[in-house]
Amino acid sequence: MKKRLTLLAVSFVFAFPSLAKEVSLNAAAAIAASVTPASPSASYDALESQSLAALRNALKGDSPTLSREQLGHSTQSATLADTAWLKARGYDFQSKARQQAGISLLSAFTAQPSPVLAANLATVTAINRDATAATRQQALADAEGISYLYFLSDALGPRLGKAFITAYDKGEIGKAAALIKASEVSTGAAKKHFNNPRPFLVSGNTIHLVPDDTVAKDQTPYTADGGSFPSGHANTGYTDALLMAQMLPERYEALVTRGARYGYSRLVLGVHYPLDVMGSRMVAQSNVAHYLNDAKYRALFNEARDQLRSALEKECGMALAQCAKTDGKNDPYRDPAMQTLYRFTMTYGLPQQKGERATLVVPAGAEALLESALPQLSAAQRRALMVKTAIPAGYPLSGTTPEQQFWQRLDLAAAYAAAKQAH
């Protein structure tokens, strides 16, 4: 135990990714573009094509072609998701209570100073304006795939990602598909509460709504209705990615980063601000930690995880640990640069407020988010790791309460990297 603690302490001197303010928008955009169909890896590009084809096929269902009308109504079929199993278990997700907890967690949104709000609009405008064609195509696929899990495949690498799509389409991971989607806590109540207009509706904005040349392929500009804060899509991306990371810890950092990359897509499309996706990260982390600390949920989770892992091993035709290994340049989500992108998306370079801050306090049970990925560490060590690798205080939404401070500053990618560096 003492040896582990010493190694952990040594790891804290290793250079963590630059703070978001030190990463330019152009640099972040270049990293984000590396995990699109424009990747230099042929096998990764093939995985992206397979994922998009599987999504389009699921969206159109039994219809001969995919129409725009189908996009907003398509959900996981009974083949893909074992909703009957989940319903029979009768678990109460306490959705309304979690929605209210989310509103409370994000209450600092109403007190953002004008420089933050100005930077909030300027940042989405720049990301939307300068996005490459491939980045826009990725954003469209992310947007229309909200009801499915296909977007997670590229974070698994070409080998495991292909096995994942195959197992998903066959209905072999139906329990995980049902549980993960049911664990998404709606942001609808929060959107109504904060009632913030989307960036493309702000007077004088220069947002470019992206024509769909990827999913429905009808060139209709992608748009969205309802309030902007927090982002429902980003909440979905973070929640799904976090839960899959718990089930597949062999790909933990790649999956966690995929959640952040999914949120980035919302700015590419010009339908959300940085604050919207930052807030969604906070509530998704809090919600997933809450569920993982519930023994009844854990029972469902373990059953779904075991089915998922068995199915993937079967489709891989080899041990899961082997199938999940990094595949060199064909595995861009394992590139260290992605950790820098994750750090960037925690603040999007928005202004930091100076001043003294209270010591960061880890909420009870938060360490569950690192449990499967870092089983060699005790709960106390994981909590210490979360504090040591957190971003500095004072960034937007960090608020005044201990929970607001913690969930905004928690950098799971850096925590995981620090532990791996030590061991």
Side-chain angles (χ1 to χ4, degrees), residues 245-250 252 298 301 305 367-376 382:
Q246 313 308 313
M247 294 183 181
L248 296 173
E250 295 88 348
Y252 184 85
R298 274 281 189 171
F301 175 89
R305 176 202 62 202
E367 67 276 4
L369 295 179
L370 288 170
E371 183 179 349
S372 65
L374 302 174
Q376 74 277 16
R382 281 180 268 123

Side-chain angles (χ1 to χ4, degrees), residues 351-361 391-401 405 409:
Q352 179 189 19
Q353 293 179 285
K354 303 296 183 181
E356 290 189 19
R357 305 288 172 176
T359 302
L360 195 63
V361 177
I391 65 171
Y395 283 102
L397 302 183
S398 53
T400 57
T401 72
Q405 285 279 319
R409 296 177 58 190

Side-chain angles (χ1 to χ4, degrees), residues 42-197:
S43 59
Y44 180 81
D45 289 349
L47 175 63
E48 290 285 270
S49 296
Q50 182 183 0
S51 177
L52 178 59
L55 171 62
R56 297 187 75 248
N57 188 59
L59 286 167
K60 72 182 180 66
D62 296 329
S63 301
T65 58
L66 175 58
S67 67
R68 174 148 302 276
E69 289 68 29
Q70 293 167 294
L71 297 183
H73 306 288
S74 182
T75 59
Q76 293 185 114
S77 66
T79 298
L80 298 180
D82 194 350
T83 52
W85 161 78
L86 187 58
K87 184 177 180 180
R89 299 298 291 270
Y91 180 74
D92 181 6
F93 287 89
Q94 299 181 321
S95 297
K96 289 186 177 180
R98 296 312 305 164
Q99 288 178 42
Q100 291 305 309
I103 290 172
S104 177
L105 182 61
L106 299 179
S107 63
F109 174 74
T110 58
Q112 296 306 306
S114 56
V116 169
L117 297 179
N120 199 36
L121 178 59
T123 301
V124 60
T125 300
I127 290 175
N128 166 261
R129 178 194 64 213
D130 298 336
T132 65
T135 300
R136 288 173 176 160
Q137 289 165 359
Q138 179 71 69
L140 288 165
D142 281 352
E144 302 299 2
I146 186 174
S147 297
Y148 299 88
L149 297 178
Y150 293 110
F151 78 94
L152 296 173
S153 61
D154 53 11
L156 302 180
R159 187 166 46 206
L160 184 56
K162 181 178 180 180
F164 176 83
I165 294 172
T166 301
Y168 188 27
D169 281 344
K170 287 183 178 179
E172 295 174 342
I173 62 170
K175 292 179 180 179
L179 181 64
I180 288 173
K181 283 299 174 185
S183 302
E184 298 167 2
V185 178
S186 172
T187 58
K191 286 177 180 290
K192 290 180 180 178
H193 176 84
F194 294 107
N195 193 31
N196 196 60

Side-chain angles (χ1 to χ4, degrees), residues 11-19 22 339-340 343 385 388-390 411 413-415 417-419:
S11 75
F12 295 146
V13 302
F14 117 98
F16 291 116
S18 301
L19 293 178
E22 298 171 352
Q339 191 182 338
T340 300
R343 192 84 160 186
L385 185 61
K388 289 290 185 180
T389 56
D411 187 338

Side-chain angles (χ1 to χ4, degrees), residues 278-292:
M278 290 161 59
S280 292
R281 172 179 56 81
M282 292 169 65
V283 295
Q285 290 171 159
S286 177
N287 288 331
V288 171
H290 170 83
Y291 288 134
L292 290 176

